């Protein structure tokens, strides 16, 4: 028993010595604190364990004192790929759907069956959002951060060679499985590596989301427009309709290139995740690696966490030898499996009264938006067609010109959102206002009588909705700490995808010329805006662990 104690002490001493001597550049002093509450904290002891919050505060301070350096700038780009992918691939599906009209190749059996492709996509999104987000809280962020892009790239390339409609539907759901994990994982790994004073950048990251739509429209303009069958009544043959396949090959290759960039970048596991898993020494080492990449040195050490609670090496001294052997033999894989079976990370999202209210309202808002957007997109074209020439057939040039104009407006919308969330209006106020305006402009777009009028309303609708999405994608990870962040974002995203699945199903069986779904869509946006008023957390000026 004595030898076991001495062995544990020796190991702890060696590990601490390695941490202290790892970096030899300038030192950033760390003023640690062991208090369990602070006015600058978003959470309190009713929400999460006091010890965890105190240690998270120490880690947050260490990240703050490193500043926004070379590592964070690189992460701003490689994590931004996730936002870009999340928006670009749904656009790809919408752009190729009307081109799957080959008489000797890929084509839906009837026009009414076309929504099956959108349904396959949404089912893939749903599975991906659920799997990758929850697993990132259990097994770590790194593997999901990389392999979501690998899956998307491989199956989109395969989809370009699809022999029939069923095949492209299957491959669409498979590449969407990868896409569905991008935002939950990427937003978590980004916010957990940046100083708290830079959390507003999570809102600005939605500019990548808008750029993804711009990029796809530009590529499609060059490929689909020039290598597709004409819009006349002549039969469309596979050999004359390569444009949509070229688009999939190009986007798949670009996704694999972004995967390669991510894979080669020396990304470290999220310190917040490691701390939440009780792997304090690894969390310290992760902070030191980030500091080294930034050409700085952090004074964070294992002893800083031990001031709050004894480390595992000290705890072992008070255990019996059988307890120690049990701890050693209890593998991380078994513990992870136990957490999955017990739904532990999900239950912790509803731990206190404030968390119950916050989680319920956030998830409900995502769900309402998940149904509102697809309903609007599915029914508005037919509604306008029955009331004027706002949806008259446009030339290929006009179609892609209008799509490019609309998508470009998302970039300034995202930048404006980043400014607004730091003003007195805050996250909640910006989200409420943008949701209400989205509903208002949606209703206004139904009054369009010409294609130019519809383009104008669509631009306004896109501008405010991109502000809304930018804030929503940032607010959700901010109001949950590292230990449940991936799971919480996954629950919200899954709710969004579940309701999104119903839109193409409704389009399959409902009368497409009815105006009811459009006005229901607008009402859903307005109702979601009202829900945000009751969000209990305002992250502006607060540290989100």
């Amino acid at each position: 028993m004595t030898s076991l104690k001495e062995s544990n002490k020796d190991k702890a001493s060696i590990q601490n010595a390695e941490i202290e001597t790892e970096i030899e550049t300038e030192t950033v002093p760390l003023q640690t604190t062991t208090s369990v509450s602070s006015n600058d904290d978003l959470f309190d002891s009713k929400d999460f364990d006091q010890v965890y919050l105190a240690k998270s505060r120490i880690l947050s301070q260490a990240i703050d004192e490193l500043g926004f350096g070379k590592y964070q700038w690189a992460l701003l780009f490689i994590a931004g790929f996730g936002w870009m992918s999340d928006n670009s691939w749904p656009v790809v599906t919408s752009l190729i759907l009307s081109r799957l009209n080959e008489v000797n190749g890929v084509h839906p059996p009837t026009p009414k069956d076309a929504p099956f492709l959108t349904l396959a996509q949404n089912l893939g999104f749903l599975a991906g959002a659920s799997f990758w987000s929850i697993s990132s809280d259990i097994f770590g962020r790194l593997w999901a951060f990389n392999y979501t892009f690998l899956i998307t790239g491989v199956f989109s390339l395969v989809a370009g060679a699809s022999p029939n409609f069923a095949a492209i539907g299957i491959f669409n759901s498979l590449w969407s499985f990868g896409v569905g994990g991008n935002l939950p994982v990427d937003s978590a790994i980004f916010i957990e590596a940046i100083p708290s004073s830079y959390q507003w950048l999570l809102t600005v990251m939605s500019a990548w989301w808008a750029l993804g739509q711009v990029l796809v429209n530009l590529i499609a303009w060059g490929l689909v427009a020039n290598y597709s069958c004409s819009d006349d009544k002549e039969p469309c043959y596979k050999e004359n309709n390569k444009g949509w396949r070229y688009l999939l090959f190009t986007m798949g290759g670009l996704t694999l290139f972004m995967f390669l960039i991510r894979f080669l970048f020396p990304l470290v596991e999220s310190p917040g995740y490691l701390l939440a898993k009780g792997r304090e020494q690894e969390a310290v080492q992760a902070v030191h690696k980030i500091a080294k990449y930034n050409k700085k040195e952090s004074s964070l050490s294992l002893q800083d966490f031990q001031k709050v609670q004894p480390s595992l090496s000290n705890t072992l001294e008070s255990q019996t030898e059988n307890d120690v052997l049990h701890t050693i033999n209890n593998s991380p894989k078994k513990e992870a499996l136990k957490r999955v079976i017990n739904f532990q990370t999900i239950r912790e999202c509803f731990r206190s009264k404030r968390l119950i209210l916050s989680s319920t309202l956030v998830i409900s808002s995502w769900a309402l938006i998940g149904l509102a957007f697809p309903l609007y997109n599915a029914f508005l074209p037919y509604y306008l067609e029955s009331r004027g020439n706002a949806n008259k057939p446009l030339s290929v040039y006009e179609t892609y010109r209008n799509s490019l104009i609309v998508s470009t407006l998302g970039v300034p919308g995202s930048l404006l959102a980043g400014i607004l969330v730091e003003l007195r209006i805050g996250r909640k106020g910006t989200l409420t206002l943008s949701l209400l305006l989205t509903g208002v402009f949606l209703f206004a777009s139904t009054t369009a009588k010409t294609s130019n009028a519809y383009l104008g309303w669509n631009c306004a609708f896109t501008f405010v909705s991109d502000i809304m999405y930018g804030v929503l994608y940032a607010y959700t990870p901010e109001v949950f700490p590292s230990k449940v962040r991936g799971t919480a974002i996954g629950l919200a995203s899954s709710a969004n995808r579940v309701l999104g699945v119903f839109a193409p199903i409704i389009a399959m069986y409902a009368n497409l010329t009815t105006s009811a779904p459009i006005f229901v869509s607008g009402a859903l946006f307005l109702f979601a805006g009202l829900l945000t008023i009751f969000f209990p957390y305002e992250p502006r000026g607060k540290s989100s662990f």
Side-chain angles (χ1 to χ4, degrees):
M1 180 68 177
T2 302
S3 62
L4 183 59
K5 294 179 182 179
E6 293 175 351
S7 175
N8 288 324
K9 290 181 178 178
D10 292 340
K11 288 180 180 179
S13 299
I14 293 173
Q15 291 164 345
N16 291 336
E18 289 176 349
I19 295 172
E20 296 293 336
T21 60
E22 184 179 359
I23 303 170
E24 299 179 356
T25 52
E26 60 170 323
T27 301
V28 178
L30 177 65
Q31 301 296 325
T32 60
T33 176
T34 59
S35 63
V36 295
S37 64
S38 170
N39 291 332
D40 293 331
D41 292 346
L42 190 62
F43 312 106
D44 57 33
S45 58
K46 294 180 180 179
D47 297 330
F48 293 97
D49 178 72
Q50 295 186 23
V51 172
Y52 169 72
L53 291 177
K55 291 182 178 181
S56 296
R57 188 175 305 109
I58 293 172
L59 179 61
S60 177
Q61 187 178 2
I63 297 292
D64 285 349
E65 293 179 348
L66 288 180
F68 199 89
K70 183 181 176 183
Y71 183 87
Q72 285 78 16
W73 277 110
L75 195 58
L76 183 69
F77 282 89
I78 63 172
F81 295 161
W83 272 259
M84 187 165 65
S85 176
D86 183 80
N87 195 24
S88 60
W89 284 105
V91 175
V92 168
T93 300
S94 66
L95 290 176
I96 69 173
L97 186 58
S98 62
R99 299 297 169 181
L100 303 179
N101 56 347
E102 304 158 5
V103 297
N104 62 336
V106 176
H107 64 282
T110 66
K112 194 171 180 61
D113 291 326
F116 277 110
L117 189 62
T118 305
L119 178 61
Q121 172 187 261
N122 288 337
L123 289 173
F125 284 153
L126 172 60
S130 303
F131 174 78
W132 295 109
S133 57
I134 295 177
S135 63
S136 71
D137 275 345
I138 298 174
F139 302 107
R141 319 281 200 229
L142 281 183
W143 70 290
F145 187 75
N146 287 321
Y147 289 109
T148 50
F149 267 68
L150 180 62
I151 291 173
T152 302
V154 168
F155 284 111
S156 58
L157 287 177
V158 175
S162 297
N164 51 54
F165 187 71
I168 194 173
I170 293 173
F171 295 133
N172 191 320
S173 64
L174 291 173
W175 89 52
S176 297
F177 175 75
V179 175
N182 290 147
L183 275 179
V185 177
D186 294 7
S187 58
I189 207 166
F190 181 71
I191 195 175
E192 289 163 10
I194 61 174
S196 57
S197 59
Y198 285 84
Q199 286 177 192
W200 58 273
L201 280 176
L202 197 62
T203 302
V204 178
M205 287 287 276
S206 62
W208 284 98
W209 198 75
L211 285 173
Q213 186 174 354
V214 174
L215 178 65
V216 173
N217 278 287
L218 282 173
I219 296 174
W221 197 353
L223 295 178
V224 180
N226 292 311
Y227 298 96
S228 298
C229 296
S230 60
D231 292 328
D232 55 27
K233 300 297 183 178
E234 294 295 324
C236 180
Y237 293 96
K238 180 179 179 179
E239 54 270 20
N240 300 324
N241 198 45
K242 299 285 188 178
W244 69 270
R245 297 180 187 271
Y246 293 156
L247 177 61
L248 288 179
F249 291 148
T250 303
M251 291 300 299
L254 180 61
T255 302
L256 289 179
F257 177 69
M258 290 189 289
F259 158 75
L260 184 62
I261 294 175
R262 285 188 167 197
F263 189 77
L264 295 177
F265 179 73
L267 186 69
V268 300
E269 183 58 271
S270 163
Y273 161 78
L274 294 171
L275 179 63
K277 303 296 288 185
R279 295 154 61 178
E280 296 171 6
Q281 180 183 329
E282 294 178 61
V284 172
Q285 291 174 336
V287 172
H288 279 256
K289 288 178 181 178
I290 295 174
K292 185 176 182 179
Y293 196 89
N294 286 349
K295 299 185 185 299
K296 288 187 176 183
E297 181 181 347
S298 171
S299 61
L300 179 68
S301 67
L302 195 59
Q303 286 79 6
D304 295 320
F305 294 126
Q306 291 173 340
K307 293 177 183 178
V308 179
Q309 177 174 284
S311 66
L312 177 61
S313 60
N314 292 332
T315 304
L316 287 172
E317 294 181 11
S318 63
Q319 295 177 337
T320 65
E321 187 170 358
N322 288 334
D323 292 334
V324 173
L325 292 175
H326 174 73
T327 302
I328 295 174
N329 291 329
N330 189 16
S331 68
K333 291 182 179 179
K334 292 180 181 179
E335 186 65 27
L337 181 60
K338 182 179 178 181
R339 288 171 64 86
V340 173
I341 295 174
N342 293 337
F343 299 102
Q344 184 173 340
T345 55
I346 295 178
R347 287 189 285 111
E348 290 198 10
C349 294
F350 302 88
R351 178 169 175 161
S352 68
K353 291 182 178 179
R354 275 208 308 173
L355 282 172
I356 291 173
L357 178 62
S358 178
S359 299
T360 301
L361 291 179
V362 169
I363 293 172
S364 298
S365 298
W366 277 73
L368 293 173
I369 295 169
L371 178 60
F373 256 114
L375 277 179
Y376 171 77
N377 293 328
F379 286 85
L380 186 66
Y382 300 94
Y383 175 81
L384 294 177
E385 186 176 353
S386 65
R387 285 163 173 76
N389 65 345
N391 197 44
K392 68 177 182 179
L394 301 175
S395 67
V396 174
Y397 172 82
E398 291 174 321
T399 298
Y400 288 99
R401 179 206 64 184
N402 290 0
S403 297
L404 187 59
I405 291 173
V406 171
S407 60
T408 303
L409 284 172
V411 178
S414 301
L415 298 178
L416 178 60
I419 296 173
L420 291 175
V421 295
E422 286 296 290
L423 299 179
R424 192 170 182 177
I425 189 175
R427 272 70 159 165
K428 288 174 55 178
T430 305
L431 185 57
T432 300
L433 181 62
S434 58
L435 273 167
L436 294 177
L437 287 176
T438 298
V440 169
F441 285 125
L442 186 153
F443 283 127
S445 67
T446 62
T447 65
K449 300 298 183 183
T450 66
S451 59
N452 287 336
Y454 174 51
L455 175 62
W457 286 121
N458 204 10
C459 286
F461 174 80
T462 301
F463 181 77
V464 294
S465 65
D466 272 68
I467 294 176
M468 177 269 295
Y469 265 124
V471 181
L472 186 68
Y473 284 166
Y475 179 89
T476 305
E478 281 188 300
V479 296
F480 294 98
S482 299
K483 67 188 304 182
V484 296
R485 180 167 286 132
T487 300
I489 302 172
L491 290 174
S493 183
S494 296
N496 181 274
R497 306 302 189 186
V498 167
L499 272 293
V501 167
F502 286 99
I505 295 177
I506 294 172
M508 290 176 197
Y509 298 103
N511 177 11
L512 292 177
T513 61
T514 180
S515 61
I518 300 172
F519 292 100
V520 168
S521 176
L524 290 174
F525 279 115
L526 296 177
F527 183 58
L530 295 177
L531 286 183
T532 60
I533 297 174
F534 302 99
F535 283 3
Y537 296 107
E538 172 51 69
R540 185 176 69 90
K542 304 285 186 179
S543 296
S544 182
F545 304 142

